[in-house]
Amino acid sequence: MPHLENMVLCRESQVSTLQSLFGERHHFSFPSIFIYGHTASGKTYVTQTLLKTLELPHVFVNCVECFTLRLLLEQILNKLNHLSSSENGCPTEITCETFNDFVHLFKQVTKAENLKDQTVYIVLDKAECLRDMEANLLPGFLRLQELTDRNVTVIFLSEIVWEKFRSNTGCFEPFVLYFPDYSIGNLQKILSHDHPPEYSADFYAAYINILLGVFYTVCRDLKELRHLAVLNFPKYCEPVVKGEASERDTRKLWRNIEPHLKKAMQTVYLREISSSQWEKLQKDDTDPGQLKGLSAYTHVELPYYSKFILIAAYLASYNPARTDKRFFLKHHGKIKKTNFLKKHEKTSNHLLGPKPFPLDRLLAILYSIVDSRVAPTANIFSQITSLVTLQLLALVSHDDQLGGPKYKCTVSLDFIRAIARTVNFDIIKYLYDFL
Amino acid sequence: MATSSVSKGCFVFRPDFKKRKVSVPIEDYFNKGKNESEDSKLRFETYRLIWQQMKSETEQLQEELNKNLFDSLIEFLQKSYSGFQKNSRNWGYQTKLREIPTAALILGVNVTDHDLTFRSLTEALQNNVTPYVVSLQAKDCPDMKHFLQKLVSQLMDCYVDVKSKEEERVQVTKKKTHYSMDSLSSWYMTVAQKTDPKMPRKKRTTSSKWQSPPVVLILKDMESFTTKVLQDFIIISSEHLHEFPLILIFGIATSPIIIHRLLSHAVSSLLCIELFQSLSCKEHLTTMLDKLSLLEHFYSQPLSVLCCNLPEAKRRVNFLSDNQCENIRRLPSFRRYVEKQASGKQVALLTNERFLKEETQLLLENLHIYHTNYFLVLRCLHKFTSSLPKYPLGRQIGELYCTCLEKNIWDSEEYVSVLQLLRMLAKDELMTILQKCLKVFKSSSEKLLGSTAKKIQEFLAQFQSLDADAKEEEDASGSQSKGLPKTDLYHLQKSLLEMKELRRTSKKQTKFEVLREKVVNFIDCLVREYLLRPETQPLHEVAYFSAAHALREHLNAAPRIALHTALNNPYYYLKNEALKSEEGCIPNIAPDICIAYKLHLECSRLINLVDWSEAFATVVTAAEKMDANSTTSEEMNEIIHARFIRAVSELELLGFIKPTKQKTDHVARLTWGGC
């Protein structure tokens, strides 16, 4: 089929495997096929084009979209129903609650004239979501041919290997097909394939070559690369449009585009700057350095006491509770770090991450680090709660445990130092790790 | 009115919930327990009037502040979809990833009431961009199912609104239990198609400029959404984007890094994020405080009738009752004023009502003049101080105002350092400040400080003329530095010392320095003359509010303390004379929970339930004067036991104790401190 080869590039072996698995229209095919491979390795595209061009009756369902069992099953049935009765107008909506119902209804639907004598394909994209649904679902789909006694094949598409799917009971082993990552040559070929009509294929291929040279080390995602290619192409064409260089003047073109692409790698690729902003910058020919990326906005404005609460929480999270005496009592006496601590406490607390602490300890530290007297008012408590909703603190204990809730401080050292600086509090002096 | 002026310096959210709560019973509240002579009704009316005035002022201010932000947001939204439609045949458009246009709206933590902002944003969007604006909160969307349910139901509401405007009858089948993106987008298609052919292209209003108006989804609190829900939703909707034009608006309180923290790269690459930052909010709650103090002021101060604009106040003074006159005489500031007067006048003031009223009118007029001047000078001073390094007197005019109200500002150390710093200012800086001050004085319609304005103008003129002289001066200074004659080390040292001495004594100030000194002195005089504390003014009680501690009590709820007081001293709240007791002893007719609470205060960390129960029974039976030997005692014991159990479980509910497994028949205390 020459037609198909033009549409699916660099996946010849997979296509032929699938084609031979499918066999003739009326042949029973393998009950379930499991296709896996990395992001953007053409799983969905190949399956979809194959089923479409061969005009096989099929249903394509995205499992992320069907977040409940009922949605998933109904969608499959309704789509099938649509296939079977395309002539006689709008079919009625089928409702289906359980897998058992599904099997019955499936039998009924596939009785239709145009589905009867050929293999029906059900494709479940993002099949890894099935694992989070009802336990009987995955084994059921794997054995659908057996359960319904119909000529049906279920195709699973996933980015995860089959071993991670296998549950302990009733699993039928599917035919596993691996889609390897595209090699750089493959990428080059595929990306060059969709060149813009106003430029020659060679010119675009040269551009893709440069693009891959810059991006291949960090990104092998075909979709992303294609997106970047389109975004930056106008910049590449610029000298040609202005008449400063010819299409063959590769060196000059390269010198023009290379720094631009490197900048793109630090900004657009990381989504620090949105593509529309990038395009606008490109059009206005301004320096992308001027636009601040998302991560540049680190400043967080907090109410006065919230800052101290956060500082107290940080201290409580990273200091061992036994050292509180040393930091917050006036006459604590000298405590030497080496003898004082148990062995496991000698590792840096900052390497171990924040530890949970009870509310009372937080308040106790708060009272001793704030200069003025703080009453335990609703004000303070509500600020603690709002810090939790801002995800600067995390509630560790269960929500309805009223007595002694426990928290963790989730902010980084740099962040807390910035906060402490605004209230003139030298936090390093109070941290056990930096003693 | 002092308060309205301050509110110009900051902006705050109108606490309309407070108003609602307060305004229903407020009139009665004012009347209750007050004698008629105190004009409570009039006071209430005045209060209402001023409140309204302030409310509209703050609202207007807020609208203006939001306008910029909203305008840029709306522009972004309009652009993002017109772009989609324009390019749909383009090569680049077809190959590029379809990204969901996303606006990250950073509102800051300090903005307490985002809801209001979002509400007005929704309104603005509905008027300008699309009728389909939906806003969701994290707490409504624990999973995808609820997320979509909320989304769909709100969307359908939008749809009904649109339809009702166009006077069409539609039946929306709302009772659908299962929503999916599929059904949503097909619903959207039918709606978009329905509205489309009915309106010819030319007649379309701005709201439906596009063939299919986009759906704007506002996530009010981005931080609280779970990663899974957000990611799933974005993945799904990006797949449906071509039939369901969605725009996301993330409300972010902290910083945009949260986007990267919540969403993986694979998901965030589906978004086209642009950042919008609301103004960094230097808002204080001053306006709100003002309003509350207003209420308290009108409530407790009978003379606040006079707190209104000048002509009205004068009129009211004439109608003051004897009782009110007496109130005036009782004011400390008025007494001080009287003491300073000549003895004949003193008598007249204290006895003659008519004379008193006239005098009061005069004093009120003075007070108003004082007030206007005060703010002019305050703003002027703020212009000076706000440009200084490190802001010794605060960055905001509000801070400055507070310091001025608290004490005589010229006594403070900060003020001295400000003057010192001012003496070091360069000429151009000084001139810009003076120009600003001039603007302040000119902006006020009052001609009270006209001479001051003139003086500033003079200063400015002098500075300008200095420019001309500057050249000559430079020449003169240049000639001074003549080379030293060649001598030995000793002589050199000596001559250098001499020169130093000479320079110190006869150091001639440049003209500029002299002038600068003059300006600083002038400001100092202004401050000393006009920034007197309000307490020094006679009749200041009429317009100024000083009981800030009462306010603090109202605003800073202290639940723990209140609870402790309620349980420890029930008389405080119940006002039942029988409950009045000496410190430390337990009134036996107090509510059961109070008795149990007091007893538990005497215990250590673990409480023996049996002991506690017995102590409880002792206290209670003492109250009921029960004869322990009577026939009904068995029954009574059971009742007391039940009452004890109830009290204990109430205490557990309040979080004072909890069951423990450390010891049988014990409960653990969760609070510390005895009685």
Side-chain angles (χ1 to χ4, degrees):
Chain A
M1 226 184 243
H3 185 57
L4 198 65
E5 270 152 31
N6 266 337
M7 289 170 77
V8 183
L9 298 168
C10 311
R11 281 284 174 247
E12 290 79 14
S13 74
Q14 282 81 9
V15 169
S16 70
T17 315
L18 278 175
Q19 266 179 319
S20 51
L21 271 176
F22 290 169
E24 294 289 316
R25 288 178 97 80
H26 59 277
H27 286 168
F28 268 73
S29 172
F30 211 82
S32 45
I33 302 170
F34 184 84
I35 299 175
Y36 74 102
H38 209 271
T39 323
S41 50
K43 303 178 294 289
T44 311
Y45 179 73
V46 167
T47 325
Q48 212 159 17
T49 3
L50 199 60
L51 289 169
K52 258 189 199 152
T53 43
L54 296 175
E55 289 171 338
L56 298 169
H58 68 277
V59 178
F60 206 93
V61 181
N62 190 336
C63 294
V64 181
E65 215 177 302
C66 306
F67 41 89
T68 62
L69 175 69
R70 190 177 156 171
L71 277 177
L72 180 67
L73 300 180
E74 280 177 5
Q75 200 170 32
I76 295 171
L77 288 173
N78 282 322
K79 281 189 174 168
L80 269 179
N81 210 7
H82 226 83
L83 278 182
S84 63
S85 56
S86 46
E87 308 91 45
N88 18 324
C90 221
T92 49
E93 294 275 307
I94 303 174
T95 51
C96 171
E97 302 265 358
T98 63
F99 200 77
N100 193 25
D101 292 348
F102 175 74
V103 172
H104 284 291
L105 288 164
F106 186 83
K107 279 185 184 173
Q108 276 174 27
V109 171
T110 43
K111 249 185 219 158
E113 201 55 45
N114 51 354
L115 296 180
K116 215 164 58 183
D117 293 324
Q118 48 186 334
T119 323
V120 175
Y121 295 92
I122 298 176
V123 187
L124 300 171
D125 201 354
K126 302 238 162 48
E128 55 268 18
C129 294
L130 293 176
R131 296 182 303 168
D132 304 329
M133 291 195 200
E134 277 76 351
N136 66 343
L137 195 61
L138 188 63
F141 273 125
L142 285 167
R143 292 174 179 274
L144 195 63
Q145 200 176 75
E146 182 187 324
L147 291 170
T148 55
D149 199 20
R150 291 271 186 269
N151 188 356
V152 59
T153 293
V154 183
I155 302 174
F156 300 89
L157 305 180
S158 173
E159 291 178 11
I160 297 176
V161 292
W162 166 246
E163 280 69 28
K164 303 231 167 171
F165 277 73
R166 206 181 275 142
S167 58
N168 37 15
T169 50
C171 258
F172 176 84
E173 289 292 314
F175 182 88
V176 179
L177 183 61
Y178 176 56
F179 275 48
D181 287 351
Y182 289 116
S183 67
I184 187 161
N186 289 347
L187 287 174
Q188 169 84 39
K189 195 172 165 193
I190 297 167
L191 286 171
S192 316
H193 185 68
D194 41 30
H195 65 93
E198 53 270 44
Y199 293 96
S200 71
D202 284 346
F203 179 64
Y204 195 70
Y207 165 63
I208 292 298
N209 198 13
I210 296 172
L211 183 93
L212 282 176
V214 175
F215 279 102
Y216 187 68
T217 45
V218 290
C219 173
R220 297 178 186 195
D221 184 338
L222 180 62
K223 281 186 207 160
E224 187 71 35
L225 284 169
R226 182 185 287 174
H227 181 70
L228 288 166
V230 176
L231 269 189
N232 295 303
F233 190 58
K235 180 80 181 173
Y236 183 70
C237 301
E238 209 176 67
V240 180
V241 174
K242 280 184 187 161
E244 288 166 2
S246 72
E247 283 197 20
R248 308 209 146 270
D249 212 346
T250 34
R251 228 190 132 63
K252 202 164 190 179
L253 291 172
W254 179 78
R255 229 177 301 132
N256 176 44
I257 194 71
E258 218 248 346
H260 186 75
L261 288 179
K262 286 212 163 132
K263 247 171 223 158
M265 190 157 75
Q266 288 156 11
T267 52
V268 196
Y269 172 62
L270 296 175
R271 292 302 186 276
E272 287 284 310
I273 292 177
S274 75
S275 354
S276 62
Q277 279 170 322
W278 181 253
E279 277 179 325
K280 196 162 166 283
L281 282 176
Q282 212 164 258
K283 214 187 261 170
D284 305 345
D285 215 12
T286 42
D287 180 27
Q290 285 168 6
L291 198 75
K292 276 212 264 174
L294 285 182
S295 303
Y297 295 85
T298 46
H299 174 71
V300 175
E301 220 173 65
L302 285 174
Y304 182 71
Y305 281 130
S306 292
K307 286 178 185 170
F308 277 108
I309 293 170
L310 204 59
I311 291 170
Y314 192 84
L315 293 177
S317 264
Y318 286 98
N319 283 349
R322 299 183 314 126
T323 59
D324 283 358
K325 227 182 184 175
R326 188 211 171 282
F327 288 117
F328 305 112
L329 246 90
K330 270 198 183 124
H331 308 291
H332 53 78
K334 272 270 183 286
I335 301 170
K336 280 216 174 124
K337 191 175 183 180
T338 40
N339 320 335
F340 175 60
L341 277 189
K342 288 173 188 153
K343 200 173 183 185
H344 66 91
E345 281 172 338
K346 281 180 188 163
T347 33
S348 162
N349 288 303
H350 278 84
L351 289 178
L352 295 171
K355 294 197 176 58
F357 55 86
L359 176 66
D360 292 300
R361 189 169 162 227
L362 169 72
L363 290 177
I365 296 178
L366 176 70
Y367 297 145
S368 61
I369 60 171
V370 180
D371 290 333
S372 53
R373 235 186 111 245
V374 206
T377 57
N379 216 336
I380 297 292
F381 293 124
S382 67
Q383 286 189 26
I384 294 175
T385 322
S386 55
L387 284 177
V388 173
T389 52
L390 293 175
Q391 300 208 324
L392 299 174
L393 295 184
L395 190 64
V396 184
S397 58
H398 198 265
D399 235 351
D400 24 285
Q401 193 188 333
L402 289 177
K406 284 190 171 175
Y407 299 92
K408 250 184 197 181
C409 185
T410 57
V411 301
S412 65
L413 181 65
D414 288 337
F415 184 92
I416 204 71
R417 284 180 76 173
I419 293 279
R421 214 173 300 131
T422 59
V423 288
N424 291 325
F425 181 82
D426 186 9
I427 192 161
I428 295 297
K429 249 172 51 188
Y430 286 86
L431 278 170
Y432 186 73
D433 282 349
F434 298 99
L435 220 55
Chain B
M1 188 63 213
T3 44
S4 66
S5 294
V6 171
S7 69
K8 279 174 196 158
C10 53
F11 60 94
V12 151
F13 308 90
R14 166 177 53 100
D16 56 354
F17 59 96
K18 268 205 171 98
K19 180 157 196 288
R20 226 176 295 131
K21 241 192 275 169
V22 147
S23 60
V24 186
I26 195 169
E27 217 160 336
D28 306 336
Y29 183 60
F30 264 124
N31 288 327
K32 208 160 54 181
K34 299 269 162 180
N35 42 12
E36 289 303 309
S37 67
E38 290 184 343
D39 295 324
S40 46
K41 200 151 194 168
L42 190 60
R43 256 156 59 202
F44 176 65
E45 288 303 317
T46 330
Y47 157 73
R48 260 253 282 264
L49 201 81
I50 294 177
W51 175 289
Q52 288 295 343
Q53 198 185 324
M54 263 163 39
K55 198 175 116 184
S56 62
E57 251 175 63
T58 37
E59 265 173 27
Q60 210 184 337
L61 203 69
Q62 208 188 343
E63 249 168 54
E64 277 168 31
L65 284 170
N66 280 338
K67 202 171 167 286
N68 278 333
L69 178 69
F70 287 179
D71 282 352
S72 54
L73 239 177
I74 287 169
E75 196 195 334
F76 165 72
L77 297 187
Q78 286 177 336
K79 212 173 54 198
S80 60
Y81 267 92
S82 62
F84 266 24
Q85 241 131 48
K86 205 169 55 198
N87 296 338
S88 54
R89 293 249 152 58
N90 200 324
W91 159 80
Y93 173 80
Q94 281 170 356
T95 13
K96 217 164 34 173
L97 280 181
R98 295 284 308 259
E99 292 175 318
I100 307 174
T102 306
L105 193 61
I106 300 166
L107 292 168
V109 186
N110 271 345
V111 183
T112 42
D113 203 348
H114 290 180
D115 266 357
L116 209 68
T117 322
F118 280 122
R119 215 179 301 144
S120 43
L121 175 65
T122 312
E123 234 166 69
L125 290 181
Q126 276 174 339
N127 291 335
N128 297 306
V129 184
T130 166
Y132 307 114
V133 183
V134 178
S135 50
L136 291 180
Q137 262 176 313
K139 65 166 188 256
D140 299 333
C141 320
D143 52 26
M144 259 324 275
K145 198 170 148 190
H146 288 93
F147 192 104
L148 276 184
Q149 233 161 34
K150 283 272 167 201
L151 175 65
V152 172
S153 63
Q154 280 199 42
L155 257 184
M156 299 219 171
D157 283 345
C158 294
Y159 174 64
V160 171
D161 283 353
V162 174
K163 289 276 126 174
S164 63
K165 270 182 214 154
E166 290 163 13
E167 290 168 28
E168 269 179 50
R169 284 170 289 116
V170 273
Q171 294 122 329
V172 187
T173 47
K174 270 193 179 179
K175 287 278 165 255
K176 208 179 164 193
T177 43
H178 273 72
Y179 297 106
S180 66
M181 206 61 199
D182 244 4
S183 62
L184 187 60
S185 55
S186 63
W187 170 85
Y188 177 79
M189 293 286 260
T190 55
V191 170
Q193 271 167 10
K194 247 187 222 169
T195 42
D196 223 31
K198 299 255 152 128
M199 289 186 291
R201 195 166 272 269
K202 281 172 197 165
K203 277 186 186 171
R204 260 181 223 152
T205 53
T206 44
S207 65
S208 50
K209 197 155 35 178
W210 300 294
Q211 273 195 326
S212 38
V215 176
V216 178
L217 174 63
I218 303 172
L219 302 181
K220 284 183 181 175
D221 42 352
M222 170 85 173
E223 281 94 346
S224 319
F225 278 92
T226 54
T227 308
K228 191 179 173 344
V229 169
L230 267 185
Q231 292 209 15
D232 283 358
F233 179 73
I234 291 168
I235 291 171
I236 295 172
S237 50
S238 79
E239 241 148 70
H240 284 269
L241 200 61
H242 43 99
E243 61 228 31
F244 188 72
L246 181 82
I247 301 179
L248 292 172
I249 296 179
F250 291 155
I252 297 174
T254 48
S255 71
I257 299 178
I258 194 83
I259 299 177
H260 288 320
R261 218 191 311 165
L262 274 177
L263 305 176
S264 65
H265 181 257
V267 174
S268 64
S269 65
L270 298 172
L271 303 175
C272 173
I273 305 167
E274 259 179 59
L275 209 62
F276 296 88
Q277 193 148 27
S278 77
L279 293 165
S280 146
C281 299
K282 296 174 214 137
E283 47 97 12
H284 330 198
L285 287 164
T286 330
T287 324
M288 186 168 153
L289 292 177
D290 288 340
K291 281 170 188 160
L292 274 170
S293 46
L294 214 59
L295 179 66
E296 183 79 24
H297 176 61
F298 278 96
Y299 176 60
S300 57
Q301 181 52 260
L303 281 174
S304 55
V305 217
L306 300 179
C307 182
C308 49
N309 56 15
L310 196 55
E312 176 70 13
K314 281 187 174 172
R315 199 179 57 78
R316 285 188 192 169
V317 168
N318 285 327
F319 294 109
L320 282 184
S321 63
D322 295 353
N323 223 332
Q324 287 282 52
C325 291
E326 209 43 54
N327 274 332
I328 291 183
R329 282 180 192 133
R330 249 182 265 144
L331 290 180
S333 67
F334 187 73
R335 264 191 262 159
R336 251 177 281 145
Y337 172 73
V338 169
E339 278 158 23
K340 280 186 205 148
Q341 307 302 318
S343 60
K345 205 175 170 190
Q346 273 188 9
V347 177
L349 274 175
L350 292 178
T351 52
N352 191 342
E353 303 280 290
R354 186 170 199 83
F355 188 68
L356 173 75
K357 280 179 187 174
E358 275 165 21
E359 194 65 26
T360 314
Q361 285 180 352
L362 203 74
L363 285 176
L364 277 179
E365 204 168 323
N366 283 341
L367 193 67
H368 272 262
I369 294 169
Y370 156 78
H371 182 74
T372 3
N373 288 346
Y374 189 95
F375 273 96
L376 282 177
V377 176
L378 184 74
R379 252 182 249 150
C380 185
L381 181 64
H382 176 240
K383 293 276 180 280
F384 275 97
T385 56
S386 59
S387 60
L388 293 177
K390 281 197 177 171
Y391 308 99
L393 281 171
R395 214 176 290 223
Q396 311 290 324
I397 193 165
E399 295 170 52
L400 188 63
Y401 183 47
C402 286
T403 8
C404 290
L405 284 182
E406 275 166 18
K407 55 190 173 198
N408 288 332
I409 189 163
W410 53 88
D411 291 338
S412 65
E413 275 174 41
E414 289 88 359
Y415 183 72
V416 177
S417 71
V418 163
L419 286 188
Q420 265 167 2
L421 284 171
L422 283 180
R423 289 202 177 95
M424 286 188 274
L425 279 183
K427 195 175 76 181
D428 46 346
E429 283 175 310
L430 205 57
M431 275 176 77
T432 45
I433 294 175
L434 279 178
Q435 256 144 9
K436 275 188 206 159
C437 289
L438 193 63
K439 226 177 263 172
V440 169
F441 284 114
K442 287 217 166 136
S443 67
S444 70
S445 54
E446 315 275 335
K447 293 292 166 208
L448 296 164
L449 284 165
S451 61
T452 324
K454 219 174 273 168
K455 193 99 186 247
I456 291 177
Q457 258 170 336
E458 271 171 37
F459 277 132
L460 277 173
Q462 280 173 348
F463 274 122
Q464 263 146 13
S465 69
L466 265 185
D467 273 335
D469 303 338
K471 278 229 170 89
E472 295 166 28
E473 205 135 317
E474 262 172 43
D475 296 342
S477 64
S479 62
Q480 255 181 10
S481 59
K482 51 177 192 265
L484 291 162
K486 211 173 177 184
T487 47
D488 58 279
L489 198 63
Y490 173 73
H491 279 106
L492 178 69
Q493 217 166 22
K494 205 174 160 190
S495 61
L496 277 175
L497 275 174
E498 268 170 20
M499 269 173 80
K500 205 174 160 192
E501 197 68 15
L502 198 75
R503 213 174 280 168
R504 197 188 295 155
T505 47
S506 69
K507 192 192 171 195
K508 204 181 79 186
Q509 279 183 313
T510 61
K511 275 185 190 169
F512 165 66
E513 281 166 342
V514 174
L515 201 55
R516 186 168 60 187
E517 191 65 33
K518 265 191 205 163
V519 171
V520 174
N521 285 341
F522 163 71
I523 292 298
D524 192 28
C525 288
L526 266 188
V527 169
R528 279 168 199 267
E529 190 176 348
Y530 292 106
L531 288 189
L532 293 168
R533 278 189 308 160
E535 280 94 279
T536 56
Q537 301 298 310
L539 286 189
H540 71 90
E541 285 94 337
V542 170
Y544 285 87
F545 177 76
S546 56
H549 60 94
L551 268 191
R552 211 162 289 147
E553 224 165 87
H554 288 315
L555 283 175
N556 264 359
R560 282 193 179 185
I561 294 167
L563 199 57
H564 177 79
T565 320
L567 292 173
N568 198 34
N569 183 13
Y571 173 73
Y572 187 86
Y573 288 108
L574 296 176
K575 303 285 178 213
N576 186 343
E577 287 302 319
L579 290 176
K580 227 171 178 177
S581 69
E582 293 145 49
E583 198 52 39
C585 86
I586 306 169
N588 37 33
I589 49 155
D592 290 345
I593 186 171
C594 296
I595 298 171
Y597 179 77
K598 280 210 159 191
L599 288 169
H600 115 286
L601 285 181
E602 291 162 11
C603 300
S604 58
R605 213 182 75 78
L606 288 176
I607 307 172
N608 187 336
L609 273 174
V610 180
D611 293 350
W612 195 8
S613 154
E614 263 166 25
F616 180 81
T618 322
V619 175
V620 172
T621 43
E624 273 144 35
K625 303 272 180 301
M626 272 294 305
D627 185 3
N629 300 328
S630 82
T631 46
T632 52
S633 74
E634 190 64 22
E635 200 181 321
M636 280 313 291
N637 277 341
E638 266 174 32
I639 291 174
I640 289 170
H641 189 66
R643 280 167 59 184
F644 172 71
I645 288 172
R646 190 174 65 182
V648 168
S649 57
E650 278 170 352
L651 283 179
E652 190 181 334
L653 186 72
L654 290 173
F656 287 104
I657 53 168
K658 69 169 185 187
T660 176
K661 280 173 186 152
Q662 286 177 20
K663 245 176 173 181
T664 45
D665 294 337
H666 278 68
V667 287
R669 270 186 76 179
L670 293 170
T671 52
W672 283 269
C675 39

